[in-house]
mmCIF file of all heavy atoms in Angstrom:
data_model
loop_
_atom_site.group_PDB
_atom_site.id
_atom_site.type_symbol
_atom_site.label_atom_id
_atom_site.label_comp_id
_atom_site.label_asym_id
_atom_site.label_seq_id
_atom_site.Cartn_x
_atom_site.Cartn_y
_atom_site.Cartn_z
ATOM 1 N N GLU A 206 0.805 -1.224 0.015
ATOM 2 C CA GLU A 206 -0.068 0.017 -0.024
ATOM 3 C C GLU A 206 0.820 1.294 -0.029
ATOM 4 O O GLU A 206 0.359 2.377 -0.273
ATOM 5 C CB GLU A 206 -0.892 -0.044 1.225
ATOM 6 C CG GLU A 206 -1.917 -1.063 1.232
ATOM 7 C CD GLU A 206 -2.848 -1.126 2.481
ATOM 8 O OE1 GLU A 206 -2.539 -0.169 3.331
ATOM 9 O OE2 GLU A 206 -3.856 -1.828 2.586
ATOM 10 N N LEU A 207 2.202 1.097 0.309
ATOM 11 C CA LEU A 207 2.937 2.311 0.363
ATOM 12 C C LEU A 207 3.847 2.384 -0.884
ATOM 13 O O LEU A 207 4.405 3.572 -1.107
ATOM 14 C CB LEU A 207 3.955 2.187 1.596
ATOM 15 C CG LEU A 207 3.295 2.075 2.954
ATOM 16 C CD1 LEU A 207 4.339 1.868 4.054
ATOM 17 C CD2 LEU A 207 2.548 3.364 3.227
ATOM 18 N N VAL A 208 3.968 1.431 -1.670
ATOM 19 C CA VAL A 208 4.895 1.438 -2.892
ATOM 20 C C VAL A 208 3.954 1.338 -4.141
ATOM 21 O O VAL A 208 3.407 0.298 -4.375
ATOM 22 C CB VAL A 208 5.856 0.295 -2.874
ATOM 23 C CG1 VAL A 208 6.759 0.368 -4.165
ATOM 24 C CG2 VAL A 208 6.780 0.397 -1.620
ATOM 25 N N ALA A 209 3.936 2.422 -4.896
ATOM 26 C CA ALA A 209 3.091 2.438 -6.093
ATOM 27 C C ALA A 209 3.552 1.363 -7.158
ATOM 28 O O ALA A 209 2.769 0.591 -7.602
ATOM 29 C CB ALA A 209 3.098 3.798 -6.760
ATOM 30 N N GLU A 210 4.837 1.440 -7.599
ATOM 31 C CA GLU A 210 5.324 0.516 -8.633
ATOM 32 C C GLU A 210 6.541 -0.251 -7.877
ATOM 33 O O GLU A 210 7.674 0.281 -7.800
ATOM 34 C CB GLU A 210 5.847 1.398 -9.746
ATOM 35 C CG GLU A 210 4.845 2.086 -10.476
ATOM 36 C CD GLU A 210 5.353 2.927 -11.656
ATOM 37 O OE1 GLU A 210 6.584 3.325 -11.704
ATOM 38 O OE2 GLU A 210 4.448 3.269 -12.483
ATOM 39 N N PHE A 211 6.214 -1.406 -7.485
ATOM 40 C CA PHE A 211 7.143 -2.195 -6.637
ATOM 41 C C PHE A 211 8.410 -2.520 -7.396
ATOM 42 O O PHE A 211 9.462 -2.201 -6.845
ATOM 43 C CB PHE A 211 6.442 -3.505 -6.250
ATOM 44 C CG PHE A 211 7.346 -4.383 -5.325
ATOM 45 C CD1 PHE A 211 7.304 -4.192 -3.978
ATOM 46 C CD2 PHE A 211 8.086 -5.403 -5.788
ATOM 47 C CE1 PHE A 211 7.995 -4.876 -3.061
ATOM 48 C CE2 PHE A 211 8.860 -6.098 -4.919
ATOM 49 C CZ PHE A 211 8.833 -5.872 -3.589
ATOM 50 N N TYR A 212 8.334 -3.101 -8.563
ATOM 51 C CA TYR A 212 9.614 -3.486 -9.336
ATOM 52 C C TYR A 212 10.419 -2.311 -9.745
ATOM 53 O O TYR A 212 11.550 -2.269 -9.783
ATOM 54 C CB TYR A 212 9.277 -4.535 -10.425
ATOM 55 C CG TYR A 212 8.744 -5.837 -9.891
ATOM 56 C CD1 TYR A 212 7.371 -6.084 -9.941
ATOM 57 C CD2 TYR A 212 9.541 -6.754 -9.444
ATOM 58 C CE1 TYR A 212 6.850 -7.350 -9.530
ATOM 59 C CE2 TYR A 212 9.154 -7.941 -8.944
ATOM 60 C CZ TYR A 212 7.799 -8.230 -8.987
ATOM 61 O OH TYR A 212 7.223 -9.442 -8.511
ATOM 62 N N ASN A 213 9.599 -1.268 -10.258
ATOM 63 C CA ASN A 213 10.284 -0.087 -10.749
ATOM 64 C C ASN A 213 10.961 0.673 -9.598
ATOM 65 O O ASN A 213 11.983 1.439 -9.824
ATOM 66 C CB ASN A 213 9.240 0.861 -11.332
ATOM 67 C CG ASN A 213 8.822 0.402 -12.729
ATOM 68 O OD1 ASN A 213 9.449 -0.548 -13.278
ATOM 69 N ND2 ASN A 213 7.756 1.012 -13.315
ATOM 70 N N THR A 214 10.531 0.479 -8.360
ATOM 71 C CA THR A 214 11.145 1.046 -7.286
ATOM 72 C C THR A 214 12.488 0.298 -6.818
ATOM 73 O O THR A 214 13.563 1.022 -6.732
ATOM 74 C CB THR A 214 10.291 1.191 -6.050
ATOM 75 O OG1 THR A 214 9.108 1.883 -6.355
ATOM 76 C CG2 THR A 214 10.907 1.695 -4.791
ATOM 77 N N PHE A 215 12.327 -0.889 -6.688
ATOM 78 C CA PHE A 215 13.494 -1.676 -6.023
ATOM 79 C C PHE A 215 14.454 -2.049 -7.070
ATOM 80 O O PHE A 215 15.646 -2.431 -6.688
ATOM 81 C CB PHE A 215 12.851 -2.819 -5.242
ATOM 82 C CG PHE A 215 12.256 -2.464 -3.968
ATOM 83 C CD1 PHE A 215 10.884 -2.464 -3.844
ATOM 84 C CD2 PHE A 215 12.909 -1.996 -2.911
ATOM 85 C CE1 PHE A 215 10.164 -2.126 -2.829
ATOM 86 C CE2 PHE A 215 12.312 -1.560 -1.742
ATOM 87 C CZ PHE A 215 10.895 -1.598 -1.682
ATOM 88 N N SER A 216 14.209 -1.909 -8.338
ATOM 89 C CA SER A 216 15.239 -2.191 -9.328
ATOM 90 C C SER A 216 16.350 -1.097 -9.275
ATOM 91 O O SER A 216 17.397 -1.297 -9.978
ATOM 92 C CB SER A 216 14.519 -2.232 -10.747
ATOM 93 O OG SER A 216 13.895 -1.003 -11.082
ATOM 94 N N ASN A 217 16.046 0.064 -8.686
ATOM 95 C CA ASN A 217 17.042 1.112 -8.574
ATOM 96 C C ASN A 217 18.079 0.689 -7.606
ATOM 97 O O ASN A 217 19.116 1.494 -7.448
ATOM 98 C CB ASN A 217 16.386 2.365 -8.169
ATOM 99 C CG ASN A 217 15.617 3.087 -9.238
ATOM 100 O OD1 ASN A 217 16.216 3.593 -10.186
ATOM 101 N ND2 ASN A 217 14.273 2.979 -9.145
ATOM 102 N N VAL A 218 18.016 -0.337 -6.844
ATOM 103 C CA VAL A 218 19.093 -0.648 -5.945
ATOM 104 C C VAL A 218 20.454 -0.896 -6.585
ATOM 105 O O VAL A 218 21.539 -0.686 -5.982
ATOM 106 C CB VAL A 218 18.765 -2.004 -5.207
ATOM 107 C CG1 VAL A 218 18.804 -3.243 -6.054
ATOM 108 C CG2 VAL A 218 19.565 -2.179 -3.952
ATOM 109 N N THR A 219 20.409 -1.228 -7.914
ATOM 110 C CA THR A 219 21.786 -1.301 -8.645
ATOM 111 C C THR A 219 22.590 -0.066 -8.734
ATOM 112 O O THR A 219 23.766 -0.086 -8.676
ATOM 113 C CB THR A 219 21.433 -1.776 -10.003
ATOM 114 O OG1 THR A 219 20.549 -1.014 -10.700
ATOM 115 C CG2 THR A 219 21.006 -3.295 -10.057
ATOM 116 N N PHE A 220 21.818 1.059 -8.654
ATOM 117 C CA PHE A 220 22.576 2.397 -8.597
ATOM 118 C C PHE A 220 23.229 2.553 -7.267
ATOM 119 O O PHE A 220 24.399 3.103 -7.279
ATOM 120 C CB PHE A 220 21.537 3.487 -8.703
ATOM 121 C CG PHE A 220 20.923 3.693 -10.056
ATOM 122 C CD1 PHE A 220 19.843 2.885 -10.546
ATOM 123 C CD2 PHE A 220 21.361 4.706 -10.920
ATOM 124 C CE1 PHE A 220 19.348 3.077 -11.816
ATOM 125 C CE2 PHE A 220 20.747 4.959 -12.117
ATOM 126 C CZ PHE A 220 19.788 4.062 -12.615
ATOM 127 N N LEU A 221 22.707 2.119 -6.251
ATOM 128 C CA LEU A 221 23.270 2.238 -4.873
ATOM 129 C C LEU A 221 24.477 1.132 -4.660
ATOM 130 O O LEU A 221 25.144 1.316 -3.826
ATOM 131 C CB LEU A 221 22.204 2.027 -3.789
ATOM 132 C CG LEU A 221 21.016 2.908 -3.935
ATOM 133 C CD1 LEU A 221 20.031 2.632 -2.841
ATOM 134 C CD2 LEU A 221 21.294 4.381 -4.068
ATOM 135 N N ILE A 222 24.482 0.197 -5.503
ATOM 136 C CA ILE A 222 25.634 -0.834 -5.483
ATOM 137 C C ILE A 222 26.680 -0.387 -6.319
ATOM 138 O O ILE A 222 27.882 -0.258 -5.983
ATOM 139 C CB ILE A 222 25.101 -2.230 -5.920
ATOM 140 C CG1 ILE A 222 24.042 -2.704 -4.920
ATOM 141 C CG2 ILE A 222 26.245 -3.135 -6.037
ATOM 142 C CD1 ILE A 222 23.359 -4.036 -5.380
ATOM 143 N N PHE A 223 26.377 -0.022 -7.649
ATOM 144 C CA PHE A 223 27.478 0.335 -8.606
ATOM 145 C C PHE A 223 28.171 1.682 -8.350
ATOM 146 O O PHE A 223 29.337 1.859 -8.590
ATOM 147 C CB PHE A 223 26.923 0.314 -10.000
ATOM 148 C CG PHE A 223 26.480 -1.135 -10.474
ATOM 149 C CD1 PHE A 223 25.502 -1.254 -11.373
ATOM 150 C CD2 PHE A 223 27.097 -2.290 -10.037
ATOM 151 C CE1 PHE A 223 25.062 -2.492 -11.754
ATOM 152 C CE2 PHE A 223 26.681 -3.429 -10.393
ATOM 153 C CZ PHE A 223 25.605 -3.679 -11.378
ATOM 154 N N GLY A 224 27.352 2.605 -7.719
ATOM 155 C CA GLY A 224 27.875 3.957 -7.459
ATOM 156 C C GLY A 224 29.076 3.923 -6.457
ATOM 157 O O GLY A 224 30.168 4.391 -6.853
ATOM 158 N N PRO A 225 28.880 3.384 -5.283
ATOM 159 C CA PRO A 225 30.070 3.226 -4.320
ATOM 160 C C PRO A 225 31.182 2.380 -4.816
ATOM 161 O O PRO A 225 32.397 2.608 -4.618
ATOM 162 C CB PRO A 225 29.476 2.645 -3.088
ATOM 163 C CG PRO A 225 27.977 2.940 -3.190
ATOM 164 C CD PRO A 225 27.632 2.938 -4.651
ATOM 165 N N LEU A 226 30.789 1.249 -5.560
ATOM 166 C CA LEU A 226 31.860 0.287 -6.161
ATOM 167 C C LEU A 226 32.681 1.104 -7.119
ATOM 168 O O LEU A 226 33.928 0.947 -7.128
ATOM 169 C CB LEU A 226 31.149 -0.825 -6.769
ATOM 170 C CG LEU A 226 32.001 -2.021 -7.233
ATOM 171 C CD1 LEU A 226 32.941 -2.452 -6.101
ATOM 172 C CD2 LEU A 226 31.195 -3.128 -7.713
ATOM 173 N N MET A 227 32.087 1.821 -8.038
ATOM 174 C CA MET A 227 32.912 2.582 -9.016
ATOM 175 C C MET A 227 33.712 3.683 -8.352
ATOM 176 O O MET A 227 34.876 3.915 -8.812
ATOM 177 C CB MET A 227 31.984 3.143 -10.074
ATOM 178 C CG MET A 227 31.399 2.163 -11.061
ATOM 179 S SD MET A 227 32.617 1.135 -11.864
ATOM 180 C CE MET A 227 33.489 2.321 -12.939
ATOM 181 N N MET A 228 33.253 4.266 -7.342
ATOM 182 C CA MET A 228 33.959 5.239 -6.574
ATOM 183 C C MET A 228 35.194 4.646 -5.942
ATOM 184 O O MET A 228 36.331 5.119 -6.086
ATOM 185 C CB MET A 228 33.129 5.818 -5.398
ATOM 186 C CG MET A 228 33.656 7.128 -4.798
ATOM 187 S SD MET A 228 32.613 7.761 -3.513
ATOM 188 C CE MET A 228 31.062 8.149 -4.437
ATOM 189 N N PHE A 229 35.164 3.394 -5.472
ATOM 190 C CA PHE A 229 36.298 2.655 -4.936
ATOM 191 C C PHE A 229 37.190 2.179 -6.100
ATOM 192 O O PHE A 229 38.388 2.376 -6.053
ATOM 193 C CB PHE A 229 35.763 1.539 -4.188
ATOM 194 C CG PHE A 229 36.829 0.451 -3.849
ATOM 195 C CD1 PHE A 229 37.763 0.804 -2.830
ATOM 196 C CD2 PHE A 229 37.019 -0.792 -4.469
ATOM 197 C CE1 PHE A 229 38.793 -0.044 -2.389
ATOM 198 C CE2 PHE A 229 38.002 -1.708 -4.113
ATOM 199 C CZ PHE A 229 38.848 -1.315 -3.071
ATOM 200 N N LEU A 230 36.718 1.613 -7.110
ATOM 201 C CA LEU A 230 37.490 1.090 -8.181
ATOM 202 C C LEU A 230 38.235 2.188 -9.021
ATOM 203 O O LEU A 230 39.350 1.977 -9.507
ATOM 204 C CB LEU A 230 36.657 0.251 -9.171
ATOM 205 C CG LEU A 230 36.042 -1.030 -8.629
ATOM 206 C CD1 LEU A 230 35.112 -1.627 -9.717
ATOM 207 C CD2 LEU A 230 37.025 -1.966 -8.225
ATOM 208 N N MET A 231 37.572 3.327 -9.097
ATOM 209 C CA MET A 231 38.200 4.435 -9.860
ATOM 210 C C MET A 231 39.030 5.392 -8.958
ATOM 211 O O MET A 231 39.429 6.496 -9.375
ATOM 212 C CB MET A 231 37.119 5.240 -10.645
ATOM 213 C CG MET A 231 36.385 4.474 -11.601
ATOM 214 S SD MET A 231 37.282 4.021 -13.088
ATOM 215 C CE MET A 231 37.143 5.638 -13.979
ATOM 216 N N HIS A 232 39.264 4.922 -7.793
ATOM 217 C CA HIS A 232 40.027 5.916 -6.775
ATOM 218 C C HIS A 232 41.320 6.327 -7.254
ATOM 219 O O HIS A 232 41.599 7.603 -7.292
ATOM 220 C CB HIS A 232 40.204 5.179 -5.435
ATOM 221 C CG HIS A 232 40.996 5.862 -4.445
ATOM 222 N ND1 HIS A 232 40.550 7.018 -3.804
ATOM 223 C CD2 HIS A 232 42.295 5.705 -4.023
ATOM 224 C CE1 HIS A 232 41.487 7.547 -2.976
ATOM 225 N NE2 HIS A 232 42.629 6.730 -3.112
ATOM 226 N N ALA A 233 42.228 5.489 -7.726
ATOM 227 C CA ALA A 233 43.552 5.915 -8.268
ATOM 228 C C ALA A 233 43.447 6.794 -9.442
ATOM 229 O O ALA A 233 44.165 7.834 -9.549
ATOM 230 C CB ALA A 233 44.307 4.571 -8.519
ATOM 231 N N TYR A 234 42.521 6.563 -10.312
ATOM 232 C CA TYR A 234 42.264 7.425 -11.455
ATOM 233 C C TYR A 234 41.866 8.809 -11.068
ATOM 234 O O TYR A 234 42.326 9.872 -11.495
ATOM 235 C CB TYR A 234 41.298 6.836 -12.459
ATOM 236 C CG TYR A 234 40.900 7.729 -13.519
ATOM 237 C CD1 TYR A 234 41.688 8.050 -14.632
ATOM 238 C CD2 TYR A 234 39.617 8.256 -13.503
ATOM 239 C CE1 TYR A 234 41.289 8.822 -15.619
ATOM 240 C CE2 TYR A 234 39.062 9.123 -14.528
ATOM 241 C CZ TYR A 234 39.961 9.436 -15.490
ATOM 242 O OH TYR A 234 39.569 10.274 -16.556
ATOM 243 N N ALA A 235 40.834 8.878 -10.139
ATOM 244 C CA ALA A 235 40.324 10.061 -9.659
ATOM 245 C C ALA A 235 41.312 10.949 -8.947
ATOM 246 O O ALA A 235 41.451 12.170 -9.089
ATOM 247 C CB ALA A 235 39.139 9.824 -8.680
ATOM 248 N N GLN A 236 42.287 10.260 -8.147
ATOM 249 C CA GLN A 236 43.295 11.010 -7.489
ATOM 250 C C GLN A 236 44.293 11.682 -8.574
ATOM 251 O O GLN A 236 44.796 12.703 -8.260
ATOM 252 C CB GLN A 236 44.178 10.024 -6.655
ATOM 253 C CG GLN A 236 43.379 9.524 -5.411
ATOM 254 C CD GLN A 236 43.112 10.651 -4.364
ATOM 255 O OE1 GLN A 236 44.001 11.392 -3.987
ATOM 256 N NE2 GLN A 236 41.876 10.736 -3.967
ATOM 257 N N LYS A 237 44.403 11.022 -9.754
ATOM 258 C CA LYS A 237 45.332 11.533 -10.683
ATOM 259 C C LYS A 237 44.663 12.620 -11.646
ATOM 260 O O LYS A 237 45.214 13.596 -11.964
ATOM 261 C CB LYS A 237 45.867 10.426 -11.530
ATOM 262 C CG LYS A 237 47.054 10.814 -12.391
ATOM 263 C CD LYS A 237 48.304 10.803 -11.488
ATOM 264 C CE LYS A 237 49.585 11.077 -12.366
ATOM 265 N NZ LYS A 237 50.753 11.148 -11.619
ATOM 266 N N ARG A 238 43.368 12.286 -11.969
ATOM 267 C CA ARG A 238 42.690 13.172 -13.024
ATOM 268 C C ARG A 238 41.862 14.279 -12.344
ATOM 269 O O ARG A 238 42.172 15.391 -12.651
ATOM 270 C CB ARG A 238 41.762 12.260 -13.855
ATOM 271 C CG ARG A 238 40.819 12.968 -14.874
ATOM 272 C CD ARG A 238 41.769 13.801 -15.880
ATOM 273 N NE ARG A 238 40.937 14.394 -16.828
ATOM 274 C CZ ARG A 238 40.527 15.652 -16.787
ATOM 275 N NH1 ARG A 238 40.833 16.402 -15.630
ATOM 276 N NH2 ARG A 238 39.755 16.219 -17.738
ATOM 277 N N SER A 239 40.929 13.954 -11.526
ATOM 278 C CA SER A 239 39.997 14.943 -10.887
ATOM 279 C C SER A 239 39.228 14.224 -9.761
ATOM 280 O O SER A 239 38.531 13.262 -10.045
ATOM 281 C CB SER A 239 39.132 15.593 -11.851
ATOM 282 O OG SER A 239 38.264 16.443 -11.189
ATOM 283 N N ARG A 240 39.310 14.914 -8.562
ATOM 284 C CA ARG A 240 38.472 14.303 -7.443
ATOM 285 C C ARG A 240 36.978 14.621 -7.702
ATOM 286 O O ARG A 240 36.093 14.026 -6.927
ATOM 287 C CB ARG A 240 38.969 14.934 -6.282
ATOM 288 C CG ARG A 240 40.376 14.476 -5.818
ATOM 289 C CD ARG A 240 40.828 14.923 -4.563
ATOM 290 N NE ARG A 240 42.168 14.459 -4.197
ATOM 291 C CZ ARG A 240 42.838 14.677 -3.100
ATOM 292 N NH1 ARG A 240 42.244 15.339 -2.095
ATOM 293 N NH2 ARG A 240 44.090 14.253 -2.854
ATOM 294 N N TYR A 241 36.563 15.363 -8.685
ATOM 295 C CA TYR A 241 35.178 15.615 -9.006
ATOM 296 C C TYR A 241 34.512 14.357 -9.547
ATOM 297 O O TYR A 241 33.295 14.234 -9.575
ATOM 298 C CB TYR A 241 35.067 16.712 -10.009
ATOM 299 C CG TYR A 241 35.321 18.160 -9.447
ATOM 300 C CD1 TYR A 241 36.443 18.929 -9.936
ATOM 301 C CD2 TYR A 241 34.528 18.714 -8.480
ATOM 302 C CE1 TYR A 241 36.648 20.096 -9.496
ATOM 303 C CE2 TYR A 241 34.873 19.945 -7.890
ATOM 304 C CZ TYR A 241 35.801 20.666 -8.440
ATOM 305 O OH TYR A 241 36.178 21.953 -8.004
ATOM 306 N N ILE A 242 35.390 13.382 -9.834
ATOM 307 C CA ILE A 242 34.890 12.072 -10.305
ATOM 308 C C ILE A 242 34.059 11.395 -9.211
ATOM 309 O O ILE A 242 33.113 10.725 -9.380
ATOM 310 C CB ILE A 242 35.971 11.186 -10.815
ATOM 311 C CG1 ILE A 242 36.469 11.815 -12.188
ATOM 312 C CG2 ILE A 242 35.512 9.774 -11.031
ATOM 313 C CD1 ILE A 242 37.860 11.315 -12.588
ATOM 314 N N TYR A 243 34.489 11.631 -7.889
ATOM 315 C CA TYR A 243 33.701 11.118 -6.772
ATOM 316 C C TYR A 243 32.362 11.742 -6.817
ATOM 317 O O TYR A 243 31.376 11.074 -6.471
ATOM 318 C CB TYR A 243 34.431 11.422 -5.497
ATOM 319 C CG TYR A 243 35.769 10.823 -5.347
ATOM 320 C CD1 TYR A 243 36.938 11.625 -4.956
ATOM 321 C CD2 TYR A 243 36.014 9.454 -5.569
ATOM 322 C CE1 TYR A 243 38.199 11.023 -4.832
ATOM 323 C CE2 TYR A 243 37.284 8.864 -5.422
ATOM 324 C CZ TYR A 243 38.394 9.726 -5.031
ATOM 325 O OH TYR A 243 39.585 9.182 -4.920
ATOM 326 N N GLY A 244 32.283 13.072 -7.188
ATOM 327 C CA GLY A 244 30.993 13.722 -7.208
ATOM 328 C C GLY A 244 30.116 13.038 -8.336
ATOM 329 O O GLY A 244 28.777 13.020 -8.038
ATOM 330 N N VAL A 245 30.604 12.656 -9.533
ATOM 331 C CA VAL A 245 29.884 11.978 -10.537
ATOM 332 C C VAL A 245 29.157 10.718 -9.833
ATOM 333 O O VAL A 245 27.968 10.325 -10.110
ATOM 334 C CB VAL A 245 30.696 11.618 -11.742
ATOM 335 C CG1 VAL A 245 29.923 10.883 -12.742
ATOM 336 C CG2 VAL A 245 31.247 12.955 -12.327
ATOM 337 N N CYS A 246 30.043 9.884 -9.191
ATOM 338 C CA CYS A 246 29.621 8.655 -8.698
ATOM 339 C C CYS A 246 28.444 8.945 -7.535
ATOM 340 O O CYS A 246 27.531 8.195 -7.494
ATOM 341 C CB CYS A 246 30.715 7.802 -7.966
ATOM 342 S SG CYS A 246 31.921 7.262 -9.246
ATOM 343 N N ALA A 247 28.683 9.976 -6.803
ATOM 344 C CA ALA A 247 27.661 10.358 -5.811
ATOM 345 C C ALA A 247 26.327 10.742 -6.408
ATOM 346 O O ALA A 247 25.283 10.358 -5.977
ATOM 347 C CB ALA A 247 28.253 11.511 -4.945
ATOM 348 N N LEU A 248 26.426 11.524 -7.513
ATOM 349 C CA LEU A 248 25.220 11.885 -8.240
ATOM 350 C C LEU A 248 24.564 10.681 -8.755
ATOM 351 O O LEU A 248 23.275 10.696 -8.910
ATOM 352 C CB LEU A 248 25.563 12.863 -9.283
ATOM 353 C CG LEU A 248 25.783 14.357 -8.963
ATOM 354 C CD1 LEU A 248 26.284 15.261 -10.080
ATOM 355 C CD2 LEU A 248 24.396 14.969 -8.555
ATOM 356 N N PHE A 249 25.279 9.721 -9.369
ATOM 357 C CA PHE A 249 24.744 8.448 -9.824
ATOM 358 C C PHE A 249 23.826 7.812 -8.749
ATOM 359 O O PHE A 249 22.789 7.326 -8.953
ATOM 360 C CB PHE A 249 25.822 7.622 -10.344
ATOM 361 C CG PHE A 249 25.279 6.269 -10.871
ATOM 362 C CD1 PHE A 249 24.703 6.261 -12.071
ATOM 363 C CD2 PHE A 249 25.508 5.116 -10.097
ATOM 364 C CE1 PHE A 249 24.276 4.980 -12.630
ATOM 365 C CE2 PHE A 249 25.207 3.919 -10.670
ATOM 366 C CZ PHE A 249 24.485 3.847 -11.918
#
């Protein structure tokens, strides 16, 4: 009764998994290129 579109809602969990994971995996690159890349992952 609280969730209008159940599958459309919880399929977004992949954003919350891949975002932090890419932030971790791209750490060395972000340190060299631009720390704003962490912001891109956060916005994701």
Side-chain angles (χ1 to χ4, degrees):
E206 295 179 355
L207 298 176
V208 180
E210 296 175 343
F211 184 85
Y212 293 104
N213 287 352
T214 297
F215 290 103
S216 57
N217 286 289
V218 71
T219 50
F220 288 78
L221 307 182
I222 295 172
F223 296 150
L226 186 55
M227 288 304 293
M228 195 179 294
F229 170 74
L230 294 173
M231 298 288 281
H232 172 73
Y234 169 75
Q236 291 291 313
K237 195 75 173 181
R238 176 63 178 90
S239 172
R240 294 185 181 181
Y241 288 116
I242 290 165
Y243 298 128
V245 175
C246 294
L248 277 171
F249 181 71

